Amino acid sequence: MELAIISDTHLPRGARVLPEACVARLRAADLILHAGDLMRAEVLDALEALGPPVAAVHGNVDDAGVLARLPERRVVAAGGARIGMVHDAGPAAGRLERLRRAFGDCDAVVFGHSHIPLHETSADGAFQIFNPGSPTDRRRQPQHTMGTATVDGGPPAFTLIALG
C-alpha cells in the first residue's frame, strides 16, 4: 500500500497552490494522509476529489468547516500497520517517547505543525514518527516537502520528498 503524506498546506492563501509533483503523488497513492492546517473545508473537498481516500486531522488554523469534519487525533489502519495522526506533537524534547505513549498501539505517528520535516525511529526500531514538512509553506526550510510511505504487512517505510 502506497501512502502520500502532506501537512500544513495553508490553502487558500494568495497564489499558493499544491505543486504539480505533489498532486501527481497524491493521485497515485492508495491513501492520502493530511496532518492538519488545511485551513478551509474546500481544501479537504479538493483532496478527496483527487481519487484516493483521505485520512486527515484538523490543525490549529483550520476553520469551523474543517473542525466539524476532522478529529484532533486519529488512528489509520493501512497495509497491516497502525498509524496515529495528530497535528501538533508538542515540543521537540521527548517527542518520540511522548507520541509512543499517546499512541501506544501504533507503529508510527504522522504529525505536522512545525513545517520542519522529521523522521525518527525509536532505539528498539519498533516505533517511528514522521513530519512531512509542507508542500506549500516551507517557512525557514530550504525546500517544500511532502512524504510517502510504503506499507506491506510491516511497519511503514517513510520517504521524504523534496518538491523544490
Side-chain angles (χ1 to χ4, degrees):
M1 176 172 238
E2 296 297 322
L3 312 179
I5 308 164
I6 57 175
S7 187
D8 298 286
T9 47
H10 293 267
L11 295 172
R13 186 178 279 174
R16 189 181 292 171
V17 296
L18 286 174
E20 195 51 47
C22 176
V23 173
R25 288 182 185 274
L26 295 172
R27 280 192 177 115
D30 296 308
L31 176 65
I32 297 169
L33 303 183
H34 194 301
D37 278 2
L38 298 97
M39 285 186 48
R40 309 260 184 277
E42 56 264 23
V43 177
L44 180 57
D45 294 338
L47 288 174
E48 291 172 341
L50 293 175
V54 177
V57 293
H58 70 72
N60 60 297
V61 300
D62 290 327
D63 71 7
V66 175
L67 295 176
R69 290 173 59 185
L70 298 177
E72 179 180 4
R73 293 174 176 228
R74 76 183 310 159
V75 175
V76 175
R82 291 180 54 81
I83 302 170
M85 296 180 68
V86 64
H87 179 64
D88 186 350
R95 182 183 289 141
L96 188 138
E97 286 306 318
R98 187 172 57 253
L99 288 174
R100 191 175 201 177
R101 285 190 304 274
F103 292 91
D105 63 341
C106 290
D107 301 293
V109 172
V110 168
F111 67 100
H113 189 58
S114 68
H115 298 225
I116 300 171
L118 175 75
H119 182 211
E120 273 185 55
T121 302
S122 62
D124 66 4
F127 183 77
Q128 302 174 75
I129 60 175
F130 184 76
N131 183 331
S134 173
T136 56
D137 188 358
R138 63 183 176 85
R139 292 200 179 156
R140 294 169 300 281
Q141 301 307 301
Q143 301 180 75
H144 294 102
T145 56
M146 68 176 293
T148 61
T150 302
V151 189
D152 188 16
F158 291 102
T159 303
L160 183 68
I161 307 294
L163 299 168

